[in-house]
Amino acid sequence: MTDPRSTAVSAARRRTAIDALRRGAVPETGLDLLATGLDRFESALDAELDAVASGASVFKAVRGEYGSGKTFFTRWLGERAKQRGFAVAEIQISETETPLHRLETVYRRLTERLTTASFPPSALRPVVDAWFYALEEDALADGASEDELADAVEKLLTARLTEVSRHAPSFATALRGYRAALARGDEATASAVLAWLGGQPHVAAAARRSAGVRGDLDHFGALGFLQGLLTVLRDSGHRGLFLVLDEVETLQRVRSDARDKALNALRQLIDEVHSGRFPGLYLIITGTPAFYDGQQGAQRLAPLAQRLATDFTTDPRFDNPRAVQIRLPGFTQDSLVALGITIRDLYAAGASAPDRVRALADDAYVADLAGAVGGALGGKVGVAPRVYLKKLVGDVLDRIDQFDDFDPRQHYRLTVSSGELTEVERNLAAAVSADEIDLDIP
């Protein structure tokens, strides 16, 4: 039976999702088209998003082994947030590019990857411009004349950022400098000041002097700037910020001193969220069970472990999606096949030969391919999703759609080479000794 979602989607959304799968990547958008097995989370998570949209703040931790779909899950939830009017940013935590113990770097990545329903990354400038426009509209609505507008906007800016200025006065100062540079037609200075506001280092000293700010953003100032950004987002019409810190398990592989600082920074972030300092923030982290349970991860810092503690001793069917930490069970053979069928139907709905696609890549073939890919990876189904979907779209469905005489059962032999696996996939599939495995699908 064809999934009704596959026939009610625009060609652009379908193409974006299929193109990503063909590359072996998680799609940036259209995750609702592919979501299987996530319905049990929807009610609780939607309620949390609605609470954040009303001024609350939420912290959530997602745990799952490699291949369980953590990135898919957070992007799926991020899409739901964006549909509610949230801005969204996804940050990959890494020792070299984005170390968690340097929150100024985390904030910089946030502004670089900030996206909204209307603007791709970086959406920082459109958001700030929309904020100033909203201030002007509010000032005019309050009775300000054109001659009084500049002063009225300044008063509103000061009032809206009063709480922020207690912790990070330079945030408001930089916004004033940005607006002043625009008013005098100095685009270069305006862009430089906005870059400084976004946490970029090495901004020209002349631009900083012009705006009345000094130095670069530091670890402690980053929290104040995050608070300021949330205020600007809210006043410019956004319901909140959905922020993902992905792959926090990388903290286990850094130097012990950096690891301890990073774990403490995470604990600090959680406490600030729970204290109510960041209204409108939905902060979500992802990591492997080893990070949450291991001595080189969260357990290394007792206060952090306490904040993340969640009971997973019961049957996974009864996991509480409202808990601070939720687990993704990962793929089974059945769920992998169900996902493959969903993608086959999505592909067929936009194919030039939809009937042939469904007939030659029928449910039985999709199941056989899933079993074969899992077998090529040592029978470890959890390693298989990315490779399986890439093979299904690029090697099978594309060929059926383009070649009238292509029959995957006759003309396609699955190969999985070590070169097309990620380092993590190779390690997890280490039980397979051959560099390349050929499997005939009956």
Side-chain angles (χ1 to χ4, degrees), residues 63 252 259 263 288-301 305:
R63 69 188 274 142
Q252 299 171 101
R259 184 189 314 140
L263 293 172
T288 59
F291 168 75
Y292 295 109
D293 302 337
Q295 292 305 312
Q296 298 306 312
Q299 298 302 316
R300 187 179 176 94
L301 182 64

Side-chain angles (χ1 to χ4, degrees), residues 6-64:
S6 64
T7 57
V9 60
S10 70
R13 292 186 74 217
R14 182 187 301 111
R15 182 173 61 251
T16 298
I18 293 296
D19 285 351
L21 296 173
R22 186 182 289 118
R23 299 192 308 271
V26 176
E28 295 285 345
T29 59
L31 279 303
D32 57 309
L33 306 174
L34 312 177
T36 57
L38 298 182
D39 51 320
R40 64 194 182 97
F41 296 110
E42 285 184 5
S43 178
L45 298 180
D46 284 351
E48 290 178 348
L49 287 172
D50 290 341
V52 173
S54 298
S57 53
V58 166
F59 168 79
K60 205 77 169 179
V62 177
R63 69 188 274 142

Side-chain angles (χ1 to χ4, degrees), residues 89 91 103 106-108 110-111 114 161 164 167-168 171 197 217-234 241-243 245 269 272-273 277-283:
I91 301 170
L103 290 180
V106 175
Y107 173 80
R108 182 166 78 244
L110 157 60
T111 62
L114 187 69
L161 295 176
V164 174
H167 303 282
F171 187 87
L197 190 74
L217 183 64
D218 62 16
H219 175 89
F220 299 102
L223 293 176
F225 274 41
L226 173 57
Q227 193 176 1
L229 179 60
L230 288 167
T231 300
V232 168
L233 283 168
R234 182 185 65 240
L241 171 64
F242 181 84
L243 175 60
L245 303 182
L269 270 175
E272 295 281 14
V273 169
R277 181 178 178 183
F278 300 124
L281 176 64
Y282 193 117
L283 175 63

Side-chain angles (χ1 to χ4, degrees), residues 112-178:
E112 289 171 352
R113 290 160 195 182
L114 187 69
T115 181
T116 68
S118 302
F119 295 98
S122 166
L124 179 62
R125 183 161 190 166
V127 165
V128 170
D129 288 345
W131 185 65
F132 277 116
Y133 178 79
L135 293 185
E136 290 177 355
E137 291 295 298
D138 288 348
L140 292 172
D142 288 342
S145 67
E146 289 293 337
D147 293 338
E148 300 167 334
L149 186 59
D151 288 340
V153 168
E154 169 61 27
K155 290 178 181 178
L156 284 176
L157 183 153
T158 301
R160 301 280 172 87
L161 295 176
T162 297
E163 181 63 25
V164 174
S165 294
R166 289 178 54 231
H167 303 282
S170 56
F171 187 87
T173 302
L175 283 170
R176 292 186 182 96
Y178 170 72

